[in-house]
């Protein structure tokens, strides 16, 4: 059942691949916010960094569940 969702085609790619790309971009964005904050950019607050990290972790868990469903067949 979840395996069918993982193979659902979005933008010409399986959903599991799209979720992986989004997770990677989320973590890259989190790192970029930390670098911007370190360089003194006021819009890059710690709260934004924290929220981006939580969002990226949740997206990573979703991606992992989809990927594991493909291998274990659930």
């Amino acid at each position: 059942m979840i395996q069918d969702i993982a193979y659902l085609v979005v933008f010409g790619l399986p959903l599991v691949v799209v979720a992986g790309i989004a997770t990677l971009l989320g973590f890259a964005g989190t790192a970029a916010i930390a670098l911007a904050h370190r360089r003194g950019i006021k819009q890059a607050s710690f709260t934004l960094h924290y929220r981006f990290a939580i969002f990226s972790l949740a997206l990573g868990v979703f991606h992992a569940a989809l990927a594991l469903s493909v291998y274990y067949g659930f």
Side-chain angles (χ1 to χ4, degrees):
M1 168 122 172
I2 299 174
Q3 186 177 11
D4 297 333
I5 297 171
Y7 284 126
L8 182 70
V9 177
V10 178
F11 303 122
L13 296 170
L15 182 61
V16 67
V17 174
V18 173
I21 292 169
T23 301
L24 181 64
L25 290 174
F27 282 123
T30 303
I33 291 169
L35 285 173
H37 183 69
R38 180 173 281 185
R39 292 185 180 180
I41 297 174
K42 300 279 186 207
Q43 292 85 4
S45 65
F46 178 74
T47 305
L48 181 63
H49 172 77
Y50 181 76
R51 289 180 182 168
F52 234 80
I54 295 295
F55 173 73
S56 298
L57 284 173
L59 198 56
V61 169
F62 175 69
H63 169 67
L66 289 178
L68 289 175
S69 74
V70 171
Y71 288 111
Y72 292 119
F74 55 87

